[in-house]
Amino acid sequence: MLLKSPIVVTGGAGFIGSNFVLQWLAEQQTNVTVLDNLTYAGNLENLTSVEKDKRYHFVLGDIVDGGSMRQLLDEQRPGAVVHFAAESHVDRSILGPAEFIRTNIEGTFQLLEAVRGYWSELPTPQQRAFRFLHVSTDEVYGSLTPTALAFTEETPYAPNSPYSASKAASDHLVRAYYHTYGLPVLTTNCSNNYGPHQFPEKLIPLVVLNALKGLPIPVYGDGQNVRDWLFVTDHCDGIRTVLERGVPGQTYNIGGRQEMSNLDLVQQICIVLDELKPTEKPYASLITFVKDRPGHDRRYAMNTSKIERELGWQPRETFAGGLRKTIQWYLDNPEWVEHVTSGSYREWIDLQYEPSSLTGAAKR
Ligand code: NAD
Ligand code: TYD
């Protein structure tokens, strides 16, 4: 029933948000309004394929601007808000945490206030059916030792980076709006995503694009930090499942049960590239160990039994299949890459890595 209402998607021009909007329009019938302020990570090219779809609307706006958020809700009358908008890159949060506090904490607070005002004036049946779904991360749980059990929804929060601390704060606010005001909220905590449209400051697209240019592939520390990878469409599918069947006030872990070390992952990317775009030397020869990220979490792993058992969700894509599709997408979309790797992307790379990354050394 809920999935028959129009929805508002914050951050819908970013990596996961745009994949979610495309999936929604392909599989659901209802209108989607994307609200995004188009930071360096927001890109309307991610949504070009639906720009003529009458069910899709784009609104340029900042979640920190609570008055405009309330106006948007009053105009669009959504049955749900799916909240992706955030500053999302750990390394940027280390170099400049202020924007993370502003968007992830203040922005989520302002959005919650706007949603609470709108929701409290809805007629009772619509109030009961309404959902606010907050998209969060496994990073709020902190770091695991190599043999520790995977994170469950009961694992205490222990964020270690300004990014994860700001996401943890936003999760707590969302929780409080359920307990204090009865706002029907849902929170999903997901592991590392990969797939088309990911901004190439994140590991997988950065490795693919550096390799194609013959630049060093920077691996932080000893390369033994472990992440749990999930193909982005499986995450989007999980969010739709939680929206439809999740119990208000509950949180749901989403993950791929695909743990691997960064070095292992980078080597796999190199092997796929050797096959799809062979060069004289194997791409793995470009792998370069660089200075570690401060406070670098050693391992993330997600126990996803709750969403599997209670809501019947499971990832569909294998890691090998998802990785190949992702690499192929970057090979097939040089224009998208060209557009996002000019301007502010260049500035970031110069700030984060030694000159043009050619020495392979991370700054800091
Ligand atoms: P992204 O950085 O690619 O996209 C973020 C989007 O939010 C961009 O379109 C940006 O323009 C928009 N935005 C930023 N600040 C805004 C503001 N103040 N007002 C309106 N829009 C704003 O991020 P992503 O990787 O797509 O992540 C989306 C969400 O999923 C985030 O909340 C992130 O914490 C969460 N998440 C990401 C991952 C991952 O692996 N990428 C994993 C788990 C959870
Ligand atoms: P990232 O994609 O930034 O995601 P997150 O920090 O949110 O997990 O990084 C994934 C892993 O890859 C993380 O352990 C840091 C590591 N990494 C590198 O080794 N080299 C790089 O250049 C980058 C960007 C990340």
Side-chain angles (χ1 to χ4, degrees):
M1 189 195 64
L2 175 76
L3 298 187
K4 296 208 170 71
S5 326
I7 60 169
V8 165
V9 176
T10 73
F15 164 47
I16 308 175
S18 62
N19 277 285
F20 179 83
V21 169
L22 298 183
Q23 190 184 80
W24 182 275
L25 289 171
E27 300 196 14
Q28 313 288 155
Q29 301 302 317
T30 64
N31 288 7
V32 179
T33 299
V34 169
L35 178 282
D36 200 299
N37 72 342
L38 299 181
T39 67
Y40 77 95
N43 183 357
L44 283 179
E45 276 184 64
N46 294 340
L47 295 164
T48 326
S49 63
V50 292
E51 67 189 7
K52 296 210 168 66
D53 190 319
K54 290 200 167 56
R55 296 167 302 159
Y56 160 72
H57 309 274
F58 176 78
V59 176
L60 183 68
D62 188 331
I63 54 167
V64 176
D65 179 358
S68 299
M69 292 307 99
R70 177 64 200 270
Q71 199 186 331
L72 174 85
L73 295 166
D74 288 341
E75 281 165 12
Q76 300 297 327
R77 317 294 306 162
V81 172
V82 186
H83 177 35
F84 292 94
E87 287 294 331
S88 69
H89 187 39
V90 174
D91 291 320
R92 283 186 190 255
S93 83
I94 295 167
L95 283 177
E99 205 53 37
F100 288 71
I101 307 307
R102 181 187 175 275
T103 289
N104 300 359
I105 305 180
E106 175 73 12
T108 300
F109 164 68
Q110 293 293 348
L111 183 65
L112 279 166
E113 275 294 274
V115 168
R116 179 166 77 93
Y118 162 73
W119 168 80
S120 65
E121 291 173 13
L122 289 175
T124 308
Q126 278 100 310
Q127 251 187 26
R128 285 213 187 98
F130 183 85
R131 297 290 182 268
F132 178 86
L133 192 148
H134 176 59
V135 180
S136 192
T137 165
D138 58 356
E139 305 195 23
V140 296
Y141 298 123
S143 184
L144 291 169
T145 59
T147 53
L149 293 177
F151 302 129
T152 70
E153 289 79 359
E154 274 71 53
T155 302
Y157 275 28
N160 293 317
S161 72
Y163 164 66
S164 54
S166 66
K167 290 298 290 187
S170 65
D171 292 9
H172 291 323
L173 282 169
V174 171
R175 175 189 159 92
Y177 272 64
Y178 172 75
H179 287 282
T180 306
Y181 304 113
L183 188 70
V185 304
L186 298 155
T187 297
T188 54
N189 293 90
C190 189
S191 63
N192 285 63
N193 283 219
Y194 67 101
H197 303 168
Q198 188 165 32
F199 193 78
E201 64 187 356
K202 305 279 171 73
L203 181 66
I204 292 182
L206 183 98
V207 169
V208 173
L209 299 184
N210 272 26
L212 291 173
K213 283 193 227 134
L215 292 173
I217 296 173
V219 173
Y220 296 164
D222 62 3
Q224 293 309 311
N225 300 68
V226 170
R227 298 291 182 265
D228 167 17
W229 294 93
L230 180 69
F231 193 58
V232 64
T233 53
D234 279 329
H235 184 191
C236 297
D237 197 41
I239 292 169
R240 285 194 302 131
T241 303
V242 172
L243 204 48
E244 187 172 25
R245 300 201 281 277
V247 177
Q250 292 288 306
T251 70
Y252 296 90
N253 281 356
I254 304 180
R257 295 186 189 263
Q258 284 293 345
E259 275 186 67
M260 73 195 76
S261 73
N262 293 336
L263 185 58
D264 215 20
L265 168 61
V266 167
Q267 282 166 339
Q268 290 193 52
I269 296 172
C270 291
I271 290 169
V272 177
L273 278 173
D274 285 338
E275 192 195 314
L276 297 179
K277 201 87 182 154
T279 51
E280 270 173 33
K281 275 193 184 171
Y283 288 101
S285 64
L286 297 168
I287 294 174
T288 309
F289 292 95
V290 301
K291 200 169 165 196
D292 208 353
R293 170 188 283 173
H296 194 177
D297 287 335
R298 196 64 176 163
R299 173 176 168 242
Y300 303 140
M302 287 298 250
N303 179 327
T304 53
S305 322
K306 181 175 174 182
I307 188 171
E308 289 170 13
R309 193 182 55 246
E310 295 184 8
L311 308 185
W313 172 87
Q314 277 206 326
R316 292 184 204 161
E317 191 61 69
T318 61
F319 183 71
L323 187 65
R324 187 169 279 268
K325 281 184 190 167
T326 304
I327 295 172
Q328 192 64 57
W329 187 85
Y330 283 92
L331 290 171
D332 291 344
N333 289 278
E335 279 185 16
W336 184 95
V337 171
E338 168 61 25
H339 294 163
V340 302
T341 53
S342 53
S344 64
Y345 177 74
R346 281 273 114 237
E347 285 161 28
W348 165 251
I349 294 293
D350 291 344
L351 208 61
Q352 169 72 1
Y353 302 95
E354 286 298 339
S356 73
S357 188
L358 290 171
T359 66
K363 286 186 175 172
R364 278 192 291 263

